[in-house]
Amino acid sequence: MLIHISFCLWEGGDEGVKKGSLKTLVRVQDLTPEKADQLIWLRARVHTSRAKGKQCFLVLRQQQFNVQALVAVGDRASKQMVKFAANITKESIVDVEALVRKVEQKIESCSQQDVELHIERIFVISQAEPRLPLQLEDAVRADGEGEEEGRATVNQDTRLDNRVIDLRTTTSQAIFRLQSGVCQLFRDTLTKKGFVEIQTPKIISAASEGGANVFTVSYFKTSAYLAQSPQLYKQMCICADFDKVFCVGPVFRAEDSNTHRHLTEFVGLDIEMAFNYHYHEVIDSITDTMVQIFKGLRDNFQTEIQTVNKQFPSEPFKFLEPTLRLEFTEAVAMLREAGVEMGDEDDLSTPNEKLLGRLVKEKYDTDFYVLDKYPLAVRPFYTMPDPSNPKYSNSYDMFMRGEEILSGAQRIHDAQLLTERALHHQIDLEKIKAYIDSFRYGAPPHGGGGIGLERVCMLYLGLHNVRQTSMFPRDPKRLTP
Amino acid sequence: MLIHISFCLWEGGDEGVKKGSLKTLVRVQDLTPEKADQLIWLRARVHTSRAKGKQCFLVLRQQQFNVQALVAVGDRASKQMVKFAANITKESIVDVEALVRKVEQKIESCSQQDVELHIERIFVISQAEPRLPLQLEDAVRADGEGEEEGRATVNQDTRLDNRVIDLRTTTSQAIFRLQSGVCQLFRDTLTKKGFVEIQTPKIISAASEGGANVFTVSYFKTSAYLAQSPQLYKQMCICADFDKVFCVGPVFRAEDSNTHRHLTEFVGLDIEMAFNYHYHEVIDSITDTMVQIFKGLRDNFQTEIQTVNKQFPSEPFKFLEPTLRLEFTEAVAMLREAGVEMGDEDDLSTPNEKLLGRLVKEKYDTDFYVLDKYPLAVRPFYTMPDPSNPKYSNSYDMFMRGEEILSGAQRIHDAQLLTERALHHQIDLEKIKAYIDSFRYGAPPHGGGGIGLERVCMLYLGLHNVRQTSMFPRDPKRLTP
C-alpha cells in the first residue's frame, strides 16, 4: 500500500481510535537486537535518503536517536514504492511498518548500530518543503572540521533565523535537555532545603535598580517598566515571613550590549533567604545549590554533555567542595602580581575577570569560585556595607570558567539606612516607597543572589555564546523568531 | 541583660561566628513537651504583647506557628526588663533565651498548645514602627464574623496596599505555600511523563494571538510586545522535535477587565505535545496532570487547606477518575433544559459557565470537568477544525467549580491550512511569518493548553478573588507594590 496521508490524523483519527485498530508505535531508542524479526510501527523524521538501484536507504530520526531503514524491490515492496520512498523530502515525518533485522556489521553512523529496518509500508504524515534553509549535518559539524574538509558549517544568524530546524540537531537537543535539568536541580535542591517557590510580577511601576537599562511598557493610560530582576519582590517576601524563597523567571535588561554573554531577556534563577548570624550562611546555601547542580549534571546528563562536546570540545567542568571563597582584595593582589594595574575600589573588567579565572584555575584547580567583599561603590544601593570597613560591602559574585554567573549580597534590612543609601545613589525615594516601607514593620537580616540560567549552561558546557543556550534569544538586534 | 541590638548582626556577626559562640535557634513548631525544662534560643516576631502587673505575656510567631511567652519579675527578670518587653512593638523581630515549660491547660489561641516560654533574656533584632497599617488579627477574621461582633475586617485594597504585612497572616502563608505546591506537582507529574521544560521569550515582535489586548514595549529604536501566551513558541518547540514540553511563566493581557478573575499579568502553566492518533491523547495527559495536582494537594497540603478554610469556608474540592468529558453540544442542551436561550455556535457567557458548573456538579458530583468540541468560530485561528463537522473544532476548555482554568486545542500543523485560517481571521501574515514557516519542514500533529495558576489556586480553595492567590497582583488599576 502506498498512500500519502498527511492529514489522516484528524480526518480519520476518531474512527481509528474507536475501532481500536491503531498500531502501537515503538521509539527509535528501543530498536535493539531484542526486537529482531518483529514487525513494528514507527513514526520518525526522514533524516537522510539515498536511492541506489532497486533499493532506497533511509535514516529515520527521533530527537537524538536514529536508525537505518531500507526499502528494497521484492516480495513486500514494489518498484513504485521504492521510488516513492526515494522522493520523500528530508525532515518529512513518516509512519513505517517494518521488520527489525540484526546487522552483521555495526552501523557506525546511527545511534542504533545493531539493527536496521526493512520497510514494508510507508506513509507520509507531514511533508517537508524540498529546500531546507539549513542542513542538519552541517549544523552539527564541529568548528574547523568543515573548513578543513571543504564542507559547510552554519553561521549563527542562519541558525537563529531558522531556529526550529537548528533546535533539531543532536547538539541543540542535548543543550536544552540539560538546561531543563539545571532548572529542576535548582528547584529540587532548594525545596529540600525548605525554600518556598514564589512568583513575582514582571510589570512594575518603578525601575527596580535605578533608572538605567530598563524597558518601558505602555500600561493603559500610564507607563510601566519590565523588571530588571525580582530583587525588590523577593526581599518583600522575606519581610512577609516566607523565610527562604526562590523564583525562576524572565528578567529584562535594556542594555545595548552586543557581546557573547549579554541578552536583553534571560532566565533568572533567584534566591533570597533570612539568615541567623552571618551572611556567609547565604553564600553557603547558594554554593551548595550550585554544587548539587554540577553533580546532578555530571551524574545524570553525561550523554548530553558528551553530545555537545563532540561538536564543541571542552575540558570537564571542575569544582571543589567546599566551594573556594576568595576576598576581593586577594583577587586584586593576584591580578597585580600578574601585571594588572588597578585601584583598590575599581570593579573587575571583563578581561580581568577572565584572567583571574585562569589564575584561580592554575592555583586551586577549580572552575567555580566565589569572590566576596566587593567595594561598596560598585554595588547597588541596597547592598549592606561591610561593618568593619565601610569601603567594602557584604557582597559577592560567583564565577564559572572565569565569567560571572551570579551577583549577590547581604541586603540592608533597615528602612533608615536603606533611605540613606538610596539618596546617596540619587534614587527617587518616591518611586521605591513601597519597597522601603516593607522594612518598617520588622525585617530579618537577609541576603541572596541572582543566577543567569543561560550563562550557567553555556559555561558548564564550555560554549562560547549565550545565544546557544537560549532557545529564542533576544538581543538589541534580534526579536525573532 | 537588656540590650537593644538591632544591628548586631552585621556589626558583630563575624567575630561571633569565628568564636563559635553563637546559639542554635530552635523553630517554634519544634516547641513541644519533649523540650520541657530546656533553655532554648528562639528568633520570632512579637505577635501580641500584654502587660499585667509584674508580668508581660507575649505571643511569639514564626509564619503560621506561634507560642505563648512570659516575662515575670523574679530571679531571672527585673522590673525594667518586664517594662522593656511590654514596650516592644508588635511585629518586631526578637531573639529570646527562655525556659520551655509544660502547661496544665492547653493554650487554645496558639499553635503550640502544650508549652509556654519563660523568658530570661530578650533582644530586639528589628523594631517595627508602632503604628501598623493593618492588624494581623483583623486580616484573618472570617467575612461576616467581624460585623457580627463589631470587630474590624480589612478590605482588599488595604490588604494589597500593605501586602508585605497581609502576606504574614496564616491564611496568606497557607495560600502561597499551596501555590508553590501546585507548581511543583505540575512539573513533577509532567517530568515523569517525559515532558521537557522550556523557557520561551516574553518580548516578541508580533502579537501572538492577533492584535488585541497586547502590551507594547519600547525596544531600542523599535517597538515590541509582551507575549499573551507562550503559544507560538511551545508549538515551535514541537516542530523542533522536543515532542512534549511544558513551561511555567508570566503571561500578559492588556484587557481592561476589572473582575474577580482577571489579572493583566498572571502565571501560565503551559503544556504542548505531539500525539500519535487522536487529540484526546492530549486531553488525557492534561486531565491526568490536573488529577495528580488535586491528589497531591489533598494528601500533602491538608493543613494549608484547613487554615484557609477557617477564614474562607468552602466545600472540599471534588473530582472524578477518569475526568468527566462533555461535548459542547451536550452542555448547550443542559443549559437549554435549564431555561437558557443560546445559539448552537455561541460561546458560553461567564454566568452560563457558572450555571453549567452547578448543573454538572448536581448530575455528576464533580468540581472538575472538560468541555470538548467548541464551535470553531469562537476559537483562535490556529485551532484545528473538527474533520467531521466544520462548524466545530478539536478544542476544549477545562473548568473548576464552574470557572474556566484552561483553554486548549489540537493545533493546525499544516502551513497551508494555517495560512488560510489566519487570513480568515484577518491576521497580518507578515507578522506571523516565522511561526507559519515553522510548519513547512515537517510538523507532527500536536495539541496542548494553558492553565492559569492563580485561578487554579483560587478555585481549588473555593476563594472568590484571584487577587488573593497572586502575591503582587496586577490589574488595570494596580501596579504597586
Side-chain angles (χ1 to χ4, degrees):
Chain A
M1 256 181 79
L2 199 70
I3 317 170
H4 180 121
I5 49 155
S6 294
F7 296 99
C8 70
L9 282 297
W10 58 274
E11 279 167 4
D14 261 332
E15 255 175 75
V17 170
K18 279 178 203 149
K19 281 189 279 179
S21 63
L22 298 170
K23 311 294 186 234
T24 305
L25 298 173
V26 301
R27 308 286 307 166
V28 170
Q29 71 247 53
D30 297 329
L31 293 172
T32 54
E34 288 76 60
K35 288 223 161 38
D37 305 320
Q38 291 180 23
L39 198 62
I40 56 97
W41 277 92
L42 177 77
R43 179 171 299 166
R45 282 192 194 274
V46 173
H47 184 57
T48 61
S49 140
R50 183 166 51 90
K52 200 176 165 185
K54 293 179 173 175
Q55 296 186 321
C56 176
F57 286 92
L58 302 168
V59 174
L60 299 179
R61 189 186 82 233
Q62 266 174 0
Q63 289 125 27
Q64 65 271 50
F65 305 101
N66 52 23
V67 65
Q68 180 167 284
L70 173 71
V71 194
V73 175
D75 288 354
R76 308 265 190 165
S78 65
K79 218 169 145 180
Q80 286 80 356
M81 179 167 156
V82 174
K83 201 177 158 194
F84 173 82
N87 283 329
I88 298 173
T89 48
K90 277 204 277 188
E91 295 300 305
S92 293
I93 297 174
V94 294
D95 274 8
V96 299
E97 187 179 33
L99 206 58
V100 182
R101 290 288 195 196
K102 264 201 270 194
V103 291
E104 284 173 20
Q105 213 172 359
K106 274 185 188 294
I107 303 166
E108 299 287 348
S109 58
C110 288
S111 69
Q112 309 313 106
Q113 308 201 325
D114 303 315
V115 297
E116 65 177 11
L117 301 179
H118 290 215
I119 292 177
E120 307 201 344
R121 297 204 279 176
I122 185 163
F123 302 90
V124 175
I125 296 297
S126 174
Q127 187 159 1
E129 293 197 353
R131 274 182 63 93
L132 295 172
L134 59 90
Q135 303 298 321
L136 267 80
E137 56 269 39
D138 297 341
V140 292
R141 199 160 282 138
D143 283 348
E145 192 192 314
E147 287 156 34
E148 279 165 33
E149 302 172 25
R151 287 188 194 156
T153 52
V154 184
N155 77 38
Q156 185 170 272
D157 274 331
T158 305
R159 287 178 188 278
L160 295 180
D161 288 342
N162 302 282
R163 191 59 158 160
V164 165
I165 300 178
D166 185 47
L167 286 174
R168 291 180 191 167
T169 64
T170 47
T171 305
S172 293
Q173 290 283 324
I175 287 172
F176 291 100
R177 280 162 206 277
L178 181 133
Q179 185 177 83
S180 167
V182 171
C183 292
Q184 200 186 333
L185 288 161
F186 175 79
R187 288 184 304 246
D188 288 353
T189 305
L190 290 169
T191 302
K192 270 185 216 137
K193 289 178 190 287
F195 281 70
V196 177
E197 180 174 8
I198 57 168
Q199 308 289 341
T200 66
K202 305 308 166 199
I203 301 181
I204 57 175
S205 59
S208 41
E209 322 222 355
N213 301 334
V214 64
F215 287 114
T216 308
V217 186
S218 312
Y219 196 79
F220 303 99
K221 287 173 182 161
T222 177
S223 285
Y225 303 96
L226 290 183
Q228 293 157 292
S229 80
Q231 183 62 33
L232 310 191
Y233 290 92
K234 60 183 184 163
Q235 284 191 259
M236 285 159 80
C237 288
I238 298 302
C239 296
D241 285 351
F242 284 94
D243 197 37
K244 299 171 174 183
V245 299
F246 70 88
C247 56
V248 176
V251 300
F252 306 94
R253 303 278 166 94
E255 277 181 272
D256 199 359
S257 300
N258 295 279
T259 76
H260 77 286
R261 69 197 188 107
H262 284 91
L263 294 170
T264 51
E265 176 180 344
F266 62 90
V267 176
L269 307 176
D270 267 89
I271 294 177
E272 200 74 23
M273 62 181 269
F275 63 82
N276 291 336
Y277 298 110
H278 197 284
Y279 77 98
H280 283 177
E281 295 165 33
V282 181
I283 293 186
D284 291 346
S285 283
I286 299 175
T287 53
D288 182 61
T289 302
M290 293 306 300
V291 165
Q292 296 312 318
I293 292 173
F294 301 149
K295 286 185 175 174
L297 295 180
R298 180 194 65 195
D299 298 343
N300 306 322
F301 289 85
Q302 209 43 246
T303 313
E304 284 78 6
I305 294 166
Q306 283 168 18
T307 302
V308 177
N309 273 340
K310 251 196 234 168
Q311 183 171 4
F312 301 104
S314 77
E315 294 293 312
F317 188 83
K318 288 201 168 176
F319 56 94
L320 301 175
E321 280 187 276
T323 299
L324 176 66
R325 192 179 72 233
L326 297 174
E327 294 213 351
F328 193 83
T329 50
E330 295 177 72
V332 172
M334 283 172 80
L335 285 168
R336 283 179 182 156
E337 204 171 308
V340 171
E341 286 180 29
M342 65 180 287
D344 284 348
E345 287 178 66
D346 290 352
D347 204 353
L348 294 177
S349 66
T350 305
N352 282 347
E353 281 180 355
K354 285 208 173 170
L355 172 57
L356 183 63
R358 287 195 295 276
L359 298 173
V360 168
K361 179 79 183 266
E362 271 169 33
K363 188 165 173 185
Y364 299 99
D365 198 29
T366 179
D367 289 309
F368 177 62
Y369 72 99
V370 183
L371 199 54
D372 192 16
K373 296 232 163 283
Y374 270 68
L376 181 61
V378 303
R379 308 298 279 197
F381 74 95
Y382 46 74
T383 307
M384 184 65 89
D386 180 342
S388 54
N389 185 343
K391 286 192 172 179
Y392 290 90
S393 63
N394 287 358
S395 71
Y396 40 84
D397 277 7
M398 299 188 187
F399 294 88
M400 287 172 64
R401 301 198 204 251
E403 297 194 44
E404 184 240 309
I405 55 118
L406 171 139
S407 196
Q410 177 179 353
R411 327 295 186 178
I412 297 171
H413 62 282
D414 175 72
Q416 193 183 327
L417 180 57
L418 192 57
T419 304
E420 284 166 26
R421 295 297 304 162
L423 284 174
H424 179 85
H425 279 255
Q426 299 179 302
I427 289 169
D428 183 351
L429 291 181
E430 201 42 51
K431 291 204 170 157
I432 54 167
K433 184 171 182 304
Y435 171 63
I436 292 187
D437 285 349
S438 310
F439 300 97
R440 296 194 192 281
Y441 308 104
H446 63 286
I451 299 165
L453 172 63
E454 293 85 352
R455 284 195 190 174
V456 168
C457 296
M458 166 178 81
L459 295 164
Y460 183 84
L461 289 168
L463 298 174
H464 298 293
N465 196 308
V466 75
R467 289 162 188 78
Q468 292 176 291
T469 53
S470 173
M471 266 195 178
F472 300 98
R474 294 294 178 253
D475 65 33
K477 291 172 183 155
R478 179 172 289 280
L479 260 173
T480 53
Chain B
M1 256 182 80
L2 197 70
I3 317 169
H4 180 121
I5 50 155
S6 294
F7 296 99
C8 71
L9 282 298
W10 57 274
E11 279 166 3
D14 262 334
E15 253 174 77
V17 171
K18 277 178 202 147
K19 280 190 278 176
S21 63
L22 299 171
K23 310 296 188 235
T24 306
L25 299 174
V26 301
R27 308 286 306 166
V28 169
Q29 71 246 55
D30 297 331
L31 292 172
T32 53
E34 287 78 58
K35 286 222 161 38
D37 305 319
Q38 290 181 23
L39 197 62
I40 56 97
W41 277 92
L42 177 77
R43 179 171 300 167
R45 282 193 194 274
V46 173
H47 184 57
T48 61
S49 140
R50 184 167 51 92
K52 200 178 166 183
K54 291 179 173 173
Q55 295 186 322
C56 176
F57 285 93
L58 303 169
V59 173
L60 300 178
R61 187 185 84 235
Q62 266 174 359
Q63 290 124 28
Q64 64 271 51
F65 304 101
N66 53 23
V67 64
Q68 179 167 285
L70 173 70
V71 195
V73 176
D75 288 354
R76 309 266 191 163
S78 64
K79 218 167 143 181
Q80 286 79 357
M81 180 169 155
V82 174
K83 200 175 158 196
F84 173 81
N87 283 328
I88 298 172
T89 49
K90 276 204 277 187
E91 294 301 304
S92 293
I93 297 174
V94 295
D95 275 8
V96 299
E97 188 179 32
L99 207 57
V100 182
R101 291 288 195 197
K102 264 200 269 194
V103 290
E104 283 173 21
Q105 212 171 359
K106 274 186 189 291
I107 303 166
E108 300 287 348
S109 59
C110 287
S111 69
Q112 309 313 107
Q113 307 200 327
D114 303 315
V115 297
E116 65 177 11
L117 300 180
H118 290 216
I119 293 177
E120 307 202 344
R121 298 204 280 176
I122 185 162
F123 302 90
V124 175
I125 296 297
S126 174
Q127 187 158 2
E129 292 195 355
R131 272 182 65 94
L132 294 171
L134 59 90
Q135 303 298 321
L136 268 80
E137 56 269 39
D138 297 340
V140 293
R141 198 161 283 137
D143 284 349
E145 192 191 315
E147 288 157 35
E148 280 166 35
E149 303 171 24
R151 287 188 194 157
T153 52
V154 184
N155 77 37
Q156 186 170 270
D157 274 332
T158 305
R159 287 178 188 279
L160 295 180
D161 288 342
N162 301 283
R163 192 60 159 158
V164 165
I165 299 177
D166 185 47
L167 287 174
R168 290 180 193 167
T169 65
T170 47
T171 305
S172 293
Q173 290 283 323
I175 288 172
F176 291 100
R177 280 162 207 277
L178 181 132
Q179 185 176 83
S180 167
V182 171
C183 292
Q184 201 186 333
L185 288 160
F186 175 79
R187 288 184 305 245
D188 288 353
T189 305
L190 291 169
T191 301
K192 270 186 216 137
K193 289 178 189 286
F195 281 71
V196 177
E197 180 175 8
I198 56 168
Q199 307 290 340
T200 66
K202 305 308 165 199
I203 301 181
I204 58 175
S205 60
S208 41
E209 322 223 357
N213 302 334
V214 64
F215 287 114
T216 308
V217 185
S218 313
Y219 196 79
F220 302 100
K221 285 171 185 163
T222 178
S223 284
Y225 304 96
L226 291 183
Q228 292 156 292
S229 80
Q231 184 61 34
L232 310 191
Y233 290 92
K234 60 183 185 165
Q235 284 191 259
M236 285 159 82
C237 287
I238 298 302
C239 297
D241 284 351
F242 284 95
D243 197 37
K244 299 171 176 185
V245 299
F246 71 88
C247 55
V248 176
V251 301
F252 305 94
R253 304 278 166 93
E255 277 181 271
D256 199 358
S257 301
N258 295 280
T259 77
H260 78 285
R261 67 197 190 107
H262 284 91
L263 294 169
T264 52
E265 177 180 344
F266 62 89
V267 177
L269 307 176
D270 267 89
I271 293 178
E272 200 73 24
M273 63 180 271
F275 62 82
N276 292 335
Y277 298 109
H278 197 285
Y279 76 98
H280 283 177
E281 296 166 33
V282 181
I283 293 186
D284 291 346
S285 283
I286 299 175
T287 53
D288 182 61
T289 302
M290 293 306 300
V291 165
Q292 296 312 317
I293 292 172
F294 300 148
K295 286 185 175 175
L297 295 180
R298 180 195 65 196
D299 298 342
N300 306 322
F301 289 85
Q302 209 43 246
T303 312
E304 283 78 6
I305 294 166
Q306 283 168 18
T307 301
V308 177
N309 274 341
K310 251 196 237 171
Q311 183 171 4
F312 302 103
S314 77
E315 295 292 311
F317 188 83
K318 288 201 169 177
F319 56 95
L320 301 175
E321 280 186 275
T323 299
L324 175 68
R325 193 179 72 233
L326 297 174
E327 294 212 352
F328 192 84
T329 49
E330 295 177 72
V332 172
M334 284 172 78
L335 285 169
R336 284 179 182 155
E337 202 171 309
V340 171
E341 286 180 29
M342 65 180 287
D344 284 348
E345 288 179 65
D346 289 351
D347 204 353
L348 294 178
S349 66
T350 305
N352 283 346
E353 282 180 354
K354 285 207 173 170
L355 171 57
L356 183 62
R358 287 195 296 275
L359 299 173
V360 169
K361 179 77 183 266
E362 271 169 32
K363 188 164 175 186
Y364 300 99
D365 197 28
T366 178
D367 289 309
F368 177 62
Y369 72 99
V370 183
L371 198 54
D372 192 17
K373 296 232 165 283
Y374 269 69
L376 182 61
V378 304
R379 307 298 278 196
F381 74 94
Y382 46 73
T383 307
M384 184 65 89
D386 180 343
S388 53
N389 185 343
K391 286 193 171 177
Y392 290 90
S393 63
N394 287 357
S395 71
Y396 40 85
D397 277 7
M398 298 188 188
F399 294 87
M400 287 171 63
R401 300 198 202 251
E403 297 195 44
E404 184 240 310
I405 56 119
L406 170 140
S407 195
Q410 177 179 353
R411 327 295 187 178
I412 296 170
H413 62 281
D414 175 72
Q416 194 184 326
L417 180 57
L418 193 57
T419 303
E420 283 166 27
R421 295 296 306 160
L423 284 174
H424 180 84
H425 279 254
Q426 299 180 302
I427 289 169
D428 183 351
L429 291 181
E430 199 44 49
K431 292 204 170 157
I432 53 167
K433 185 172 183 303
Y435 171 64
I436 292 188
D437 285 349
S438 311
F439 301 97
R440 297 194 191 282
Y441 307 105
H446 64 286
I451 300 165
L453 172 63
E454 292 85 353
R455 285 195 189 174
V456 169
C457 296
M458 168 179 78
L459 295 164
Y460 183 84
L461 289 168
L463 299 174
H464 298 292
N465 196 307
V466 75
R467 290 162 188 78
Q468 292 177 292
T469 54
S470 172
M471 267 195 178
F472 300 99
R474 294 293 179 253
D475 64 33
K477 291 172 183 154
R478 178 172 291 280
L479 261 173
T480 54

